[in-house]
Amino acid sequence: MVHLSGIVLLLCVAAPVAAAPTGSAHLPDTDRFWHITDLHLDPTYHLVSDPTKVCFSSKGFPTVHAGLYGDFLCDSPYRLIQSAFTHMAQFVQPQDFIIWTGDNPPHVPVSELSTDIVIQVISNMTETIRHHFPKQTVYPALGNHDYWPQDQMPTSTNDIYQAAAKLWQPWLDSEALITLSQGGFYSQLVRPGLRVFEWLEKILEKAAQTLEKVFIIAHVPVGYLPFARDVTAVRQSDNERLVAIFRKYSHVIEGHFYGHTHRDSIMVLLDQKGEAVNSLFVSPAITPIRNVWEPYSNNPAFRMYVYNSKDFSVLDIWQYFLNLTEANEKQRSDWRLEYIMTEAFGLSDLQPQSLLQLALSFTLPQTKTFHTYFTHFIVSYNSSIVCEGDCKVTQVCSVLHLDQQSYSKCVEQGN
């Protein structure tokens, strides 16, 4: 049985029209929502003379470039998270909602955390979000780090699920709070015709019967990791089951929205005939952390999606980021727009066929399109880093092939 804690579905029938993104031409019949993920607050972050003691999340490795807004070997200082939300709040409009796809505690040894500490961190982040966005409804999902020990989220009630239900009471209705506290999932009406769910096949079948559309939201994505060969983000058996379900109900699903990897990526779900049936988006993290052996990281980031308020098709992404090195040098956080996806790649929208054509262009030799995509993947961490050979094969195969058989064939053929 697939463990579905952390999966949220937004069921759509009709929604009011919101204003177009700030600075754009007016876009009729559009609405927006914002995505924040992988905050990974490190409460121990502080600037001291010993670079090995700046943060517990560096695990003793020296953080020689640590500054006010963090370091690439550390999880997020509170100042970084506050600066992200302060900038984002300038553009959030009254009818926007926010999805928050989990992972709030830092990457530290199990012995440095406890159930109480995890609850404290989730509480801190909840209150911070509520402070910056008092008029927005937020739809949270628990990540694999939002439990102690991490990656061991149960299907039964526990202190963390109960605490989350209490903390998120202002955003969720009574029925949602009961199921959240009991199993880490919930169902919620967002607005007339727009509902959030945390269980899957039964709801997708109901949505199909009532001609409704669904946004799928979760912390951990389906498919294969774009930076690790032959590794699925969820257990491989669960991945195969989820891919089969998503193919079966692809006519109901208008988009998938994930976090977890800390990087910016897309996937295209193909059916058994090779036709593009779903668009999947993985949002980059606010935390800039990387392992000391990794050749690159990501700059902190959050994003906004624009979608058609009539048929709920995803139209565009506005991706914002903070150049962490520059922010530390200037001691000022100048968050800015990194890219608008349709403009960056010359697309008309972000529908499955559009993303398929974009992904196929990645396979061409010496294509500038893939270099642009990879620069976005690491959130403009370093545009001189090149992804070629096995790196590119792993990336492209993860974009185009979500099931084991097709992915293995892609890797074997080198695309």
Side-chain angles (χ1 to χ4, degrees):
M1 181 178 181
V2 179
H3 184 195
L4 295 180
S5 290
I7 293 181
V8 179
L9 290 88
L10 296 179
L11 182 62
C12 316
V13 180
V17 176
T22 301
S24 75
H26 177 65
L27 299 174
D29 300 325
T30 63
D31 219 330
R32 316 111 52 87
F33 63 93
W34 298 79
H35 190 176
I36 53 178
T37 192
D38 295 89
L39 306 181
H40 288 292
L41 171 69
D42 188 342
T44 71
Y45 187 94
H46 63 301
L47 298 177
V48 294
S49 58
D50 185 346
T52 67
K53 299 187 184 309
V54 170
C55 63
F56 282 4
S57 48
S58 73
K59 302 175 179 64
F61 290 102
T63 56
V64 295
H65 301 294
L68 285 178
Y69 296 96
D71 185 90
F72 288 110
L73 292 181
C74 294
D75 273 316
S76 303
Y78 190 59
R79 184 191 296 266
L80 172 64
I81 295 170
Q82 284 186 309
S83 73
F85 293 167
T86 298
H87 182 85
M88 179 173 153
Q90 299 176 54
F91 302 104
V92 172
Q93 297 180 0
Q95 295 185 29
D96 296 352
F97 62 90
I98 299 170
I99 63 174
W100 170 25
T101 50
D103 263 17
N104 300 290
H107 297 84
V108 295
V110 172
S111 60
E112 299 291 343
L113 296 174
S114 66
T115 293
D116 287 344
I117 292 175
V118 169
I119 291 172
Q120 288 172 14
V121 172
I122 295 173
S123 176
N124 188 331
M125 293 297 90
T126 300
E127 292 305 316
T128 301
I129 290 170
R130 190 171 293 125
H131 171 76
H132 283 85
F133 308 103
K135 297 181 180 180
Q136 265 59 52
T137 299
V138 180
Y139 299 102
L142 293 167
N144 57 298
H145 281 267
D146 295 317
Y147 194 76
W148 186 83
Q150 69 181 60
D151 303 322
Q152 299 183 36
M153 298 175 72
T155 56
S156 58
T157 188
N158 56 76
D159 289 346
I160 291 177
Y161 293 172
Q162 292 175 20
K166 184 176 181 180
L167 290 167
W168 299 341
Q169 187 173 359
W171 296 325
L172 305 178
D173 62 31
S174 58
E175 182 180 351
L177 294 168
I178 290 172
T179 57
L180 174 61
S181 66
Q182 291 176 345
F185 58 87
Y186 62 85
S187 169
Q188 166 103 0
L189 184 67
V190 176
R191 54 178 63 141
L194 191 61
R195 179 175 291 271
V196 182
F197 295 96
E198 277 236 346
W199 51 93
L200 198 54
E201 196 161 10
K202 183 197 303 185
I203 303 304
L204 289 172
E205 178 60 36
K206 181 180 178 181
Q209 292 175 1
T210 53
L211 302 179
E212 295 164 331
K213 295 294 184 180
V214 168
F215 288 165
I216 292 182
I217 298 167
H219 177 70
V220 182
V222 295
Y224 284 79
L225 295 175
F227 47 76
R229 182 68 60 89
D230 295 320
V231 179
T232 52
V234 299
R235 286 191 295 264
Q236 191 167 79
S237 58
D238 288 351
N239 185 69
E240 293 299 300
R241 177 63 177 149
L242 287 169
V243 169
I245 292 172
F246 293 151
R247 281 175 171 159
K248 179 179 179 180
Y249 294 101
S250 60
H251 61 293
V252 175
I253 300 167
E254 282 295 339
H256 300 240
F257 310 93
Y258 302 104
H260 183 63
T261 69
H262 298 193
R263 309 290 189 260
D264 182 347
S265 64
I266 61 169
M267 290 177 279
V268 185
L269 179 62
L270 307 179
D271 65 14
Q272 301 289 7
K273 298 179 182 178
E275 297 292 327
V277 292
N278 270 176
S279 300
L280 297 85
F281 308 95
V282 180
S283 180
I286 285 183
T287 182
I289 196 171
R290 66 175 176 87
N291 287 317
V292 69
W293 48 264
E294 288 183 290
Y296 54 77
S297 188
N298 61 280
N299 277 306
F302 62 83
R303 65 172 41 168
M304 180 187 69
Y305 292 95
V306 181
Y307 65 95
N308 187 304
S309 57
K310 292 184 176 180
D311 65 11
F312 305 100
S313 57
V314 181
L315 302 176
D316 217 341
I317 291 172
W318 287 49
Q319 182 64 55
Y320 296 86
F321 84 113
L322 176 70
N323 184 317
L324 183 60
T325 302
E326 178 184 281
N328 284 336
E329 289 174 351
K330 294 183 177 180
Q331 299 190 33
R332 185 179 70 245
S333 58
D334 295 326
W335 291 80
R336 54 183 179 265
L337 184 67
E338 183 187 19
Y339 69 86
I340 300 172
M341 191 163 183
T342 54
E343 293 182 5
F345 295 107
L347 305 175
S348 58
D349 54 40
L350 304 187
Q351 287 301 284
Q353 190 59 39
S354 297
L355 290 194
L356 175 59
Q357 293 306 311
L358 174 62
L360 291 174
S361 75
F362 296 164
T363 66
L364 301 175
Q366 299 181 354
T367 171
K368 292 183 179 180
T369 304
F370 178 74
H371 179 71
T372 300
Y373 174 79
F374 188 77
T375 298
H376 293 166
F377 175 76
I378 56 179
V379 196
S380 299
Y381 174 77
N382 185 342
S383 62
S384 67
I385 296 177
V386 177
C387 178
E388 298 175 326
D390 288 346
C391 173
K392 183 177 179 180
V393 170
T394 301
Q395 285 274 343
V396 174
C397 290
S398 71
V399 171
L400 286 167
H401 303 284
L402 279 64
D403 64 283
Q404 183 179 15
Q405 183 178 5
S406 66
Y407 177 85
S408 298
K409 184 178 180 181
C410 176
V411 169
E412 183 180 347
Q413 295 176 346
N415 281 357

